[in-house]
Amino acid sequence: MAEWQEIIEKGKSSHKLTHEEICCLLAEPACEEELARAADEVRHAYVGDGVHLRGLIEFSNYCRQNCAYCGLRRDNKNIKRYRLSAAEIVALARQAQAYGYKTVVLQSGEDEYFTLPRLRAILLSIKELDLAVTLSIGERSYAEYKALREAGADRFLLRIETTDAELYARHDPGMSHERRLRCLQDLKTLGYEVGTGTLVGLPGQTIDMLARDILFYQQIDADMLGIGPLVPNPHTPLGDAAPGDWHLTRRFVAILRLLLPDSNIPATTAMDTLKPGGRDIMLRSGANVVMPNVTSGEARRNYALYPGKACVNDTPEHCRSCMSARIAAMGRFVAEDKGFRQRRKI
Ligand code: 5AD
Ligand code: SF4
Ligand code: FES
């Protein structure tokens, strides 16, 4: 038995791996299929065959931050900025509900136009629809997170991008790694389901750092984990960087499923962008969630984190039936419940 086979067996049965063992799997392309198969089995045993669809509403592409990789960064003058009105956002949530989605994800750049009272009004309207609501709006104060939670927000996504403070400082100028950690802690304290994740392929990122990311997610017991490879955006300082390694990202996600067996893990759009059909492969490599976009028209095109985003020219209706068919084709089904994390005995 190769060393990596023993490590996979250990991860699968004990849900614990050391830093060295994680590095070994990340660095070993030959283990990928077996690792993915083990992750798929753990996914089946802990979260079942239901795939949770979360309707993504990209409601503003304004951002006060300047992340080196992201097309929404404030210095990018090449995109047309937009904001949806409260009425438009609520209408999209209604649309998502009509498609049968049980959760909407409200995502934007860090846009200060959306003050607490504005967000609260939107949340209160959406909560009348009996949908779970996930926010993905970046860093806010404890008091704001608290008020948003009280207005009905159930979950929050805030990727740490990398747990390496120095690498973070290099690619996220003006942002504080410490503050980001505090935000995650605040969200947890307030009873949100907390999602975070890594951007795989940041220049300077090492296997060692990625292994530490994985152990960090296990340590904070993250409820959701969104992992994607870097897709270089020519309108950003990382335009000439190499794309993130798709296969390394797949191994990363599969290891997460072994170590956090009952968490919710999306098959991310960036995985489909670098390899058409990539999300399907991820659903068979540990993932159990997909976030189909319900934003339509110009807004959908202008929410350009990176070029070539999968589905950007498709309609929300088309994605909904496309995704349902893809899920059925792999012998799985669209889950009927809201898809909160169900803690299982590990
Ligand atoms: N490639 C891949 N992912 C990106 N993100 C931002 N820019 C890129 C890019 N060029 C991701 C970040 C952020 C999420 C909303 O999108 O990880 O957290
Ligand atoms: Fe803004 Fe998020 Fe893009 Fe950074 S990654 S520029 S915070 S939208
Ligand atoms: Fe968007 Fe298939 S999911 S076109």
Side-chain angles (χ1 to χ4, degrees):
M1 233 197 221
E3 190 191 359
W4 54 259
Q5 283 172 311
E6 286 171 30
I7 299 173
I8 292 172
E9 276 310 308
K10 179 185 166 193
K12 200 172 125 183
S13 53
S14 71
H15 311 295
K16 284 197 186 73
L17 291 175
T18 64
H19 180 88
E20 288 70 28
E21 289 165 337
I22 295 171
C23 287
C24 175
L25 296 182
L26 288 174
E28 179 54 84
C31 79
E32 184 165 323
E33 293 305 327
E34 205 159 312
L35 175 59
R37 213 164 19 246
D40 199 42
E41 285 172 31
V42 171
R43 186 270 312 149
H44 173 76
Y46 279 82
V47 294
D49 288 343
V51 176
H52 297 280
L53 300 181
R54 324 282 203 198
L56 178 64
I57 301 175
E58 297 162 333
F59 67 91
S60 161
N61 70 352
Y62 282 86
C63 190
R64 64 180 168 156
Q65 303 291 4
N66 218 17
C67 305
Y69 41 83
C70 178
L72 307 195
R73 66 200 305 271
R74 64 170 185 267
D75 285 353
N76 183 10
K77 306 289 182 247
N78 284 287
I79 57 166
K80 195 168 158 213
R81 304 282 171 174
Y82 72 89
R83 279 185 190 110
L84 301 185
S85 67
E88 288 171 314
I89 297 168
V90 176
L92 285 177
R94 235 178 237 120
Q95 194 67 59
Q97 188 192 37
Y99 293 150
Y101 302 157
K102 311 289 184 204
T103 295
V104 287
V105 181
L106 302 180
Q107 188 169 78
S108 68
E110 292 201 5
D111 183 0
E112 284 160 325
Y113 170 86
F114 283 95
T115 55
L116 186 53
R118 288 188 169 119
L119 286 171
R120 192 193 285 133
I122 293 164
L123 276 171
L124 293 174
S125 304
I126 294 180
K127 286 309 284 186
E128 283 176 19
L129 303 174
D130 189 31
L131 290 164
V133 179
T134 306
L135 293 176
S136 178
I137 60 171
E139 297 177 12
R140 299 266 172 147
S141 67
Y142 182 88
E144 283 188 284
Y145 283 155
K146 182 162 186 281
L148 293 168
R149 176 93 184 103
E150 284 161 3
D154 302 282
R155 313 187 183 117
F156 204 104
L157 305 178
L158 186 74
R159 288 190 184 172
I160 192 89
E161 317 292 357
T162 171
T163 53
D164 190 273
E166 208 177 297
L167 189 72
Y168 186 80
R170 194 179 330 153
H171 294 298
D172 295 273
M175 294 175 83
S176 145
H177 195 255
E178 221 174 289
R179 192 168 55 224
R180 212 154 179 87
L181 288 172
R182 203 189 56 223
C183 285
L184 288 176
Q185 184 55 55
D186 289 350
L187 292 164
K188 193 118 202 165
T189 306
L190 289 163
Y192 283 91
E193 282 200 344
V194 177
T196 184
T198 295
L199 185 51
V200 178
L202 286 169
Q205 191 179 45
T206 62
I207 292 284
D208 184 66
M209 290 174 192
L210 291 173
R212 276 190 267 127
D213 290 0
I214 290 175
L215 288 173
F216 171 73
Y217 300 145
Q218 195 176 30
Q219 182 214 319
I220 65 167
D221 193 25
D223 300 301
M224 303 170 284
L225 289 153
I227 313 298
L230 174 74
V231 185
N233 183 329
H235 301 306
T236 67
L238 292 191
D240 293 327
D245 180 336
W246 189 93
H247 292 280
L248 175 60
T249 311
R250 184 179 179 215
R251 295 197 293 282
F252 188 103
V253 169
I255 298 168
L256 282 176
R257 174 58 73 197
L258 299 186
L259 299 193
L260 289 123
D262 61 11
S263 62
N264 282 320
I265 303 183
T268 57
T269 310
M271 286 303 268
D272 239 26
T273 300
L274 288 189
K275 187 199 265 290
R279 274 183 294 183
D280 305 58
I281 299 174
M282 294 315 296
L283 285 174
R284 292 196 212 93
S285 309
N288 70 319
V289 171
V290 178
M291 295 162 62
N293 198 338
V294 296
T295 324
S296 56
E298 223 190 337
R300 189 176 179 105
R301 277 190 299 284
N302 288 325
Y303 201 84
L305 302 169
Y306 48 78
K309 219 167 113 192
C311 301
V312 75
N313 293 313
D314 298 294
T315 63
E317 294 80 8
H318 178 75
C319 287
R320 178 223 181 191
S321 51
C322 172
M323 247 321 140
S324 305
R326 285 161 74 168
I327 290 164
M330 58 184 95
R332 306 263 283 275
F333 61 92
V334 175
E336 293 283 327
D337 61 303
K338 291 199 175 83
F340 285 100
R341 181 185 189 189
Q342 306 279 327
R343 284 177 188 278
R344 308 276 151 126
K345 204 166 168 296
I346 294 172

